[in-house]
Amino acid sequence: MSTRLPKKDVVVVGLGWTGSIMAYELSKMGLDVVAIERGPWRDTASDYNIATAPDELRYAVRQDIFLRPAQTTDTARNSMSQTALPIRKFGSYLPGNGVGGAGVHWNGHSWRFFPSDFNLRSHYEERYGKNFIPDDMTIQDYPVTYDELEPHYDFFEKVMGISGKAGNIKGVIQDGGNPFEGWRSDEYPTKPLKPNLAQIKFEKAAKELGLHPFPLPSANISEAYTNPYGLRLAPCTYCGFCEWFGCANYSKSSPQTCVLPALMRHTNFEARTLCEVTRINKTRDGKMASGVTYVDAAGREFEQPADIVLVCAYATFNVRLLMLSQLGTQYDPVSNTGTLGRNYAYQTNAGVLGYFDKDTHFNPFAGAGSQGMMADDYNGDNFDHAELGFVGGANINCNTPHGRPISARPTPPGTPRWGSEWKKATAETYGHTQSVGTQGSSMSYRDVYLDLDPTYKDRLGNPLMRMTFDFKENDLKMSRFVVDRCEEIMKNMGPQRMVKTYKRGPWNVVPYQTTHNTGGAVMSSTPDKGVVNRYGQHWDAPNVFVTGACLFPQNAGYNPTNTVGALTYWTLDAIKNQYLKNAGQALVQA
Amino acid sequence: MPVSSRRQLLSATALVAFSAPALGRSITGRMPWKPNEAYPPELARPGGWYFLNPAEVATLEAITSRLIPADDLSPSGKDAGCVVFIDRQLAGPYGTYEWLYMQPPFSDNPLPTQGIQSPLTPQQQYRLGLAALATHCRDSFGGKTFEQLAEADQVKLLQGMEKGEVKLPGLNAPRQTTTMLFNLILQNTMEGFFADPVYGGNKDMCSWKMIGFPGVRYDFRDVLDNPGKPYTKPPVSIMGRPDWNGKPA
């Protein structure tokens, strides 16, 4: 029996980046907003203070602040003919948990997708012909353009205080920035981070090869900054405990540093933590959502009615919640019907490791999650694909995220894993290696998708979500091509030896790859191709809006957060300026 | 509130079984900030064994001394505290996989890409695995224990376990193979050797000194002012460093 609570104007599922932004902007308008978060309250001073935050074992290895699979997880398999098994320990990707979500532990790479990422299918068909895209590749255009999103990218970057160097301001190419990026209305809010030795070497090597290196747009802030919500960030100290850690310095853009202190001043906002939403409830006629049902940490069930339901959890859990709620039609790859769970995609990353001489001191411990030098010459459609025979591209990065010794202690190939020889090689090699890597796009395919697992359930008895995913030849081919370009750059950086690692299938759930899971509740121009319309509004329930990377029809050669934020402000704009004027209306006619 | 009970509350996984006061929390109109609220790591206290029995300790001391032998670069894994580290980790939430998804069914033929699919927790893997190793040593080496073997024989046996050439009695896929046991011990030994000394290993930050990792200084802006210069300051752990403990400079 669930307890029915008094109705709210808005219920927000999940209090991470998108949930906190939605809650702030809508409560500021005077709406009564409640956010329901499955994890605990977390804040800098209590949870990531400087005396406890830099702890590799606790956070990076034992995964203290991540979602614990005992609470919920996904099942995984590589192909439809296999039996999926639960991811008992998260490895390949690490979903966040608690207030702030994955916005607490991210590296902070803050990219805008290219304009051509938003009309990917039509762009490729126009440039390379109708037959260029393989039949089983289900990529599609976003129902929103880069130009429409630009003001929202700009504002989200200002909320985060992103450190970087513009490459294209209103169409004018800028020295030192990324000349391939889409136009920007403004420079970055803060100047780029300082380069370490690796970035200096990469910049020189890439320039000599005719490439266009530029500093990685960073949510580790280079200088003191006050954001539009009046919240202050402090300069990054290059501590080397960024990704998988909370920041004790108030230097990493996160809901904690950029939104929550302002949001919590709103007395018409309430956060309920350690409460997990299990269903979006529907009205009697099934045409709208009536609110949500959630379970608190004591196992008590509550019904929270609301006029608007905002689905703001992590991408995969948004999709799962829609599935558990039977909101939308499950995608079936055999009959090619339904949309929910369709177009799941990931990321295709690989690279080259260089071993340098003893006098080359990279000092890898002095790094930040987003300390890097980049080249985008082989990303998106910045290079001619006609003879290459693949769709997509990858950014090339030379980063110094950390030198944490449990995980970052490479030895030359052929070194034993233990014993005297191992120890000698470890001591000699530490600090003298550097990678040049790629972050590659991941296309969507007919047989790569999400649905509910037939066997495994979470602790509450709800089915886990099943992920059917593998790397496909198009993406592996793309990745090999760009990794070969990394090798050319690395060679020019002057290592004594190089080890090149191509991406290979099958996808394995164990080694960390990236927490960039996309798709499954794709935005589309027509209801037969996606779950939500161009405003993130559910095609089947107009008072339900969905945020997050689950909206992406395929993944670009970039990290998703900045685009997730831009889409959130785009949706907010539609809610504030269109939807609320005539609540219950579909903003796009099906 | 002791850390462990906060941890239970954080995990929100231990519901239903008892009516703990771990209810949802409602927060409105303020940042729920309390003075001195923090969640320090569980300190590995010296003395005694929390999970391992004396026979297991003796064997692990020998194994960690072979995995990380003493030489002029560092003390041995044993002397660095790796067995203390493993014991304390096994006695905590890691030892029982408290945070992992451990619901059945467990597949008899998982794919190599599907990660952990054994119902055995680290506690069980150590207990069963070290018992199997003891049986193997007794049967193959005239009643000796692992630690009683000559160092060269210990190394040879460990190499055989690593490669899967030695198959310890009773250890079978998919629950636990000899190689899985070796890999678990190797992984935990390296964790102990390179983790912050607060967890019982990496005594005197010996591994950090060995490789030149300056620890948790949390501010390396000086390095960025001089990229490429060798860094010479000594390491600092979460507990500070010995020079800070009231001794004259």
Side-chain angles (χ1 to χ4, degrees):
Chain A
M1 268 310 280
S2 58
T3 307
R4 192 179 159 91
L5 299 168
K7 188 173 169 183
K8 296 275 187 178
D9 295 326
V10 181
V11 61
V12 180
V13 181
L15 194 55
W17 265 126
T18 70
S20 59
I21 288 168
M22 286 285 193
Y24 175 82
E25 296 285 346
L26 295 176
S27 59
K28 193 177 156 197
M29 294 179 74
L31 298 178
D32 275 330
V33 180
V34 60
I36 301 177
E37 165 57 49
R38 73 182 167 198
W41 181 266
R42 295 186 200 272
D43 197 17
T44 305
S46 50
D47 294 83
Y48 326 118
N49 76 70
I50 207 159
T52 60
D55 185 338
E56 183 183 14
L57 182 80
R58 178 176 177 179
Y59 296 109
V61 180
R62 298 285 182 258
Q63 307 177 347
D64 191 319
I65 57 172
F66 300 107
L67 175 66
R68 295 175 184 172
Q71 184 164 354
T72 191
T73 186
D74 302 312
T75 69
R77 59 180 180 173
N78 295 123
S79 70
M80 292 172 63
S81 62
Q82 298 170 338
T83 303
L85 295 178
I87 299 176
R88 297 187 181 275
K89 177 180 193 286
F90 283 118
S92 179
Y93 57 95
L94 298 170
N97 195 37
V99 171
V104 167
H105 75 251
W106 68 317
N107 255 333
H109 300 200
S110 301
W111 297 102
R112 298 178 176 202
F113 288 0
F114 294 112
S116 62
D117 285 327
F118 292 94
N119 62 339
L120 190 70
R121 178 170 279 274
S122 52
H123 174 91
Y124 267 80
E125 287 180 349
E126 194 177 309
R127 183 168 174 188
Y128 302 112
K130 289 261 178 203
N131 296 325
F132 194 81
I133 298 170
D135 283 344
D136 69 332
M137 191 184 282
T138 50
I139 59 175
Q140 62 193 44
D141 293 357
Y142 281 70
V144 54
T145 66
Y146 178 85
D147 288 357
E148 287 172 311
L149 283 184
E150 200 288 332
H152 305 292
Y153 268 128
D154 181 67
F155 187 71
F156 187 45
E157 286 167 357
K158 285 172 173 154
V159 167
M160 294 195 288
I162 299 305
S163 298
K165 178 75 192 85
N168 176 349
I169 298 181
K170 296 172 183 155
V172 181
I173 301 302
Q174 310 286 312
D175 275 350
N178 179 8
F180 299 105
E181 72 177 343
W183 68 277
R184 308 170 52 85
S185 49
D186 206 350
E187 180 53 274
Y188 281 98
T190 53
K191 64 179 192 254
L193 292 173
K194 287 183 183 174
N196 207 333
L197 179 64
Q199 289 75 48
I200 294 168
K201 282 175 116 42
F202 175 90
E203 183 177 23
K204 180 167 176 288
K207 269 189 182 157
E208 285 170 4
L209 294 171
L211 305 179
H212 300 81
F214 63 96
L216 199 173
S218 167
N220 325 129
I221 305 305
S222 62
E223 56 189 321
Y225 176 73
T226 304
N227 82 359
Y229 297 153
L231 303 179
R232 293 178 171 194
L233 286 94
C236 174
T237 62
Y238 307 88
C239 78
F241 289 87
C242 197
E243 187 185 35
W244 306 345
F245 300 82
C247 177
N249 278 334
Y250 300 83
S251 306
K252 175 157 65 174
S253 322
S254 66
Q256 274 76 1
T257 52
C258 300
V259 187
L260 290 165
L263 167 62
M264 295 311 294
R265 287 182 205 134
H266 295 174
T267 52
N268 51 335
F269 170 74
E270 180 193 353
R272 282 185 210 140
T273 58
L274 297 170
C275 292
E276 182 169 336
V277 174
T278 52
R279 292 288 186 280
I280 298 164
N281 302 315
K282 290 186 229 180
T283 53
R284 208 156 285 193
D285 64 5
K287 291 181 175 167
M288 301 274 276
S290 60
V292 302
T293 293
Y294 69 90
V295 178
D296 76 0
R300 299 182 305 190
E301 194 173 86
F302 296 89
E303 188 194 338
Q304 177 60 66
D307 287 332
I308 299 176
V309 175
L310 301 178
V311 186
C312 297
Y314 185 66
T316 53
F317 297 105
N318 279 348
V319 176
R320 178 174 179 244
L321 180 60
L322 293 170
M323 288 177 179
L324 292 175
S325 309
Q326 297 182 300
L327 198 53
T329 308
Q330 173 64 48
Y331 171 65
D332 176 357
V334 177
S335 61
N336 203 11
T337 56
T339 56
L340 182 57
R342 180 174 169 272
N343 279 28
Y344 172 73
Y346 196 38
Q347 198 95 71
T348 320
N349 301 345
V352 178
L353 185 65
Y355 294 80
F356 289 74
D357 63 55
K358 282 191 189 59
D359 298 321
T360 305
H361 296 277
F362 286 111
N363 294 329
F365 46 85
S370 301
Q371 186 181 33
M373 194 58 85
M374 312 293 303
D376 257 350
D377 300 70
Y378 299 101
N379 201 358
D381 194 30
N382 301 337
F383 56 110
D384 190 350
H385 286 70
E387 302 301 316
L388 296 171
F390 59 77
V391 177
N395 71 27
I396 296 177
N397 55 66
C398 180
N399 299 346
T400 305
H402 71 92
R404 297 188 299 265
I406 298 176
S407 56
R409 43 181 174 86
T411 52
T415 308
R417 294 193 297 159
W418 49 281
S420 303
E421 204 184 322
W422 159 80
K423 202 204 280 189
K424 185 164 178 285
T426 301
E428 285 176 359
T429 309
Y430 182 87
H432 306 297
T433 64
Q434 178 61 42
S435 69
V436 172
T438 63
Q439 170 132 263
S441 55
S442 175
M443 297 303 138
S444 42
Y445 300 89
R446 180 162 170 176
D447 60 353
V448 170
Y449 67 104
L450 306 171
D451 64 355
L452 291 176
D453 192 272
T455 305
Y456 291 95
K457 295 183 165 51
D458 70 10
R459 74 203 194 289
L460 301 170
N462 291 312
L464 301 183
M465 192 168 66
R466 176 169 68 176
M467 192 175 275
T468 304
F469 174 79
D470 207 349
F471 298 106
K472 300 281 189 173
E473 182 51 25
N474 173 83
D475 301 282
L476 295 173
K477 196 172 181 183
M478 175 280 297
S479 183
R480 288 193 298 269
F481 173 79
V482 188
V483 168
D484 285 345
R485 307 286 80 74
C486 293
E487 186 182 26
E488 293 163 1
I489 302 170
M490 178 60 85
K491 199 173 170 192
N492 205 28
M493 288 167 69
Q496 291 180 318
R497 109 185 250 191
M498 290 186 287
V499 174
K500 179 166 72 171
T501 309
Y502 287 134
K503 193 73 186 180
R504 286 198 170 84
W507 173 60
N508 187 320
V509 304
V510 177
Y512 184 75
Q513 290 157 68
T514 185
T515 310
H516 305 163
N517 313 79
T518 67
V522 164
M523 63 194 318
S524 59
S525 50
T526 53
D528 59 323
K529 294 288 184 204
V531 171
V532 299
N533 67 24
R534 69 192 303 256
Y535 301 109
Q537 183 182 38
H538 202 289
W539 282 114
D540 298 341
N543 65 337
V544 175
F545 291 82
V546 183
T547 65
C550 53
L551 271 50
F552 298 1
Q554 56 275 331
N555 202 7
Y558 279 139
N559 311 58
T561 300
N562 205 12
T563 300
V564 167
L567 285 169
T568 303
Y569 280 108
W570 160 257
T571 292
L572 260 170
D573 184 71
I575 293 173
K576 289 201 275 194
N577 297 314
Q578 297 182 60
Y579 181 80
L580 288 174
K581 290 180 178 150
N582 187 6
Q585 66 173 330
L587 299 177
V588 178
Q589 289 311 311
Chain B
M1 182 186 287
V3 173
S4 54
S5 56
R6 152 86 178 184
R7 287 279 175 75
Q8 279 181 354
L9 194 142
L10 283 184
S11 72
T13 51
L15 66 151
V16 291
F18 51 90
S19 57
L23 311 178
R25 187 177 178 193
S26 171
I27 304 158
T28 190
R30 72 200 153 86
M31 293 291 281
W33 184 84
K34 283 184 292 218
N36 301 320
E37 185 184 11
Y39 307 101
E42 303 267 21
L43 193 71
R45 296 181 197 289
W49 300 99
Y50 289 54
F51 173 75
L52 299 169
N53 63 42
E56 292 166 339
V57 168
T59 299
L60 283 172
E61 287 183 342
I63 292 175
T64 55
S65 299
R66 300 295 81 77
L67 297 179
I68 303 175
D71 55 25
D72 53 356
L73 291 170
S74 83
S76 69
K78 173 198 161 191
D79 291 338
C82 290
V83 183
V84 176
F85 170 88
I86 290 170
D87 178 68
R88 302 307 192 265
Q89 289 293 306
L90 290 175
Y94 171 73
T96 56
Y97 277 164
E98 181 186 322
W99 298 352
L100 303 196
Y101 183 87
M102 294 300 280
Q103 290 193 42
F106 287 88
S107 171
D108 290 331
N109 51 351
L111 298 166
T113 56
Q114 289 174 316
I116 292 173
Q117 294 298 339
S118 167
L120 299 181
T121 66
Q123 285 187 356
Q124 293 166 321
Q125 291 174 52
Y126 271 85
R127 188 121 297 157
L128 297 168
L130 292 174
L133 177 61
T135 303
H136 173 81
C137 291
R138 191 189 64 212
D139 295 350
S140 307
F141 298 98
K144 286 186 177 169
T145 62
F146 180 89
E147 59 276 16
Q148 287 167 342
L149 304 181
E151 285 188 13
D153 291 334
Q154 293 179 358
V155 169
K156 205 173 153 200
L157 177 50
L158 290 171
Q159 285 169 340
M161 290 169 63
E162 180 180 25
K163 291 178 191 146
E165 291 164 2
V166 172
K167 295 199 189 310
L168 301 181
L171 301 195
N172 298 304
R175 287 164 64 90
Q176 188 183 27
T177 65
T178 303
T179 304
M180 284 162 68
L181 172 67
F182 176 85
N183 285 336
L184 182 70
I185 297 173
L186 178 64
Q187 175 201 323
N188 294 151
T189 301
M190 292 301 173
E191 287 167 0
F193 191 58
F194 287 106
D196 196 285
V198 73
Y199 294 105
N202 193 12
K203 187 171 167 20
D204 301 328
M205 298 179 273
C206 60
S207 72
W208 294 358
K209 289 173 187 162
M210 176 181 97
I211 60 173
F213 175 67
V216 300
R217 290 179 165 273
Y218 222 72
D219 189 348
F220 289 117
R221 281 174 292 185
D222 52 340
V223 175
L224 275 293
D225 290 336
N226 297 288
K229 290 250 172 73
Y231 190 83
T232 53
K233 288 182 190 167
V236 173
S237 104
I238 287 175
M239 298 187 294
R241 65 189 177 89
D243 302 13
W244 294 355
N245 294 339
K247 292 175 192 162

